[in-house]
Amino acid sequence: MTVQNIITERRVVLDTETTGMPVTDGHRVIEIGCVELIGRRLTGRHFHVYLQPDRESDEGAIGVHGITDQFLIGKPRFAEVADEFFEFIKGAQLIIHNAAFDVGFLNNEFALIGQHDRANLSSYCSILDTLAMARERHPGQRNSLDALCKRYDVDNSGRELHGALLDSEILAEVYLAMTGGQTTLSLAGNNDGEGGGDRPSEIRRIANRTPGRIILASEAELAEHQARLAVIEKSAGAPALWTQLLEAQSQAQA
């Protein structure tokens, strides 16, 4: 993977809630939640909507997500948000826990409104199933989202009920932890997302985050930094990775 790809690769962490299961029994999507990652940085962009399914939810499903039929009265139908949702996810890598479930329901929603060209999301997005990834990395262990939060020290204390946006935010943190590298400083390009690395530090959810204090380097520190980069370039016979990253990021923003 090139430095440019590390910086610009777009991922969308996605979750849905439904009236029940399986989709073949006529169950529908009632909530979609997505958060965006560029490289390994949570951008703050998200897509979230509750949907009117035109059918009742199973009691068991309501017990899981707490979304009642009465709450959904007056909410938009999928057809009203389909274009906006599709544009948000198109071309991205979708990161989903138990992807077959969510993708199957979303494909069905597109088919029900006659958008059969969109009824196969894998034609427009690559799909990474974090449940399959977790089972491969932790065979014989529990790999639910809650279990992974405990294993990777991700705070899920606010998850009393399932919710698509909250669960996608939590899954984004779990994904960053599972794929290794530093997660408290989500600087684009600091990890290709596929390596191992030391156990990551705990990271905080993007919702209601208080901006951190910014401490700028002094003139002397900047000069020392540039001198160190020059030594690295001379020794390696090529610009330091830090310099390459800055140049690539500048070109991407131009």
Side-chain angles (χ1 to χ4, degrees), residues 17-21 26-30 53 55-58 61 65:
E17 301 298 339
T18 69
T19 59
M21 58 183 297
H27 284 291
R28 303 287 301 277
V29 175
I30 59 173
R55 62 156 292 159
E56 294 182 348
S57 294
D58 286 354
H65 50 59

Side-chain angles (χ1 to χ4, degrees), residues 103-169:
V103 171
F105 267 92
L106 291 169
N107 285 344
N108 181 63
E109 292 294 335
F110 280 114
L112 288 174
I113 63 173
Q115 295 188 8
H116 297 285
D117 57 324
R118 295 178 175 178
N120 183 4
L121 290 183
S122 61
S123 297
Y124 301 93
C125 309
S126 62
I127 298 170
L128 187 152
D129 187 348
T130 51
L131 177 59
M133 178 188 296
R135 285 172 173 169
E136 182 178 348
R137 297 187 179 200
H138 311 290
Q141 301 183 51
R142 294 181 64 248
N143 289 300
S144 66
L145 186 55
D146 283 334
L148 293 175
C149 286
K150 183 176 181 179
R151 187 172 300 142
Y152 288 100
D153 295 326
V154 172
D155 180 14
N156 67 338
S157 57
R159 192 182 187 243
E160 295 180 4
L161 293 171
H162 290 217
L165 183 59
L166 175 61
D167 285 2
S168 64
E169 291 179 351

Side-chain angles (χ1 to χ4, degrees), residues 1 9 11 13 37 39-41 93 95 128-130 133-134 137-138 148 152 154 171-183 186 190-200 203:
M1 181 177 291
E9 184 171 6
R11 299 178 174 94
V13 187
L37 292 167
R40 293 183 60 82
R41 175 183 296 165
Q93 180 185 51
I95 299 172
L128 187 152
D129 187 348
T130 51
M133 178 188 296
R137 297 187 179 200
H138 311 290
L148 293 175
Y152 288 100
V154 172
L171 181 58
E173 297 182 13
V174 168
Y175 167 77
L176 290 172
M178 286 178 66
T179 53
Q182 187 175 16
T183 52
S186 297
N190 69 342
N191 190 294
D192 65 5
E194 304 302 329
D198 296 332
R199 186 178 181 84
I203 61 179

Side-chain angles (χ1 to χ4, degrees), residues 10 14 19 25 37-38 42 44 54 57 62 78 119 146 151 191 196 217 232 237 243 249:
R10 183 171 183 266
L14 181 150
T19 59
D25 284 353
L37 292 167
I38 300 293
L42 288 159
D54 293 314
S57 294
I62 295 175
F78 183 77
D146 283 334
R151 187 172 300 142
N191 190 294
I232 293 173
T243 302
Q249 193 167 31

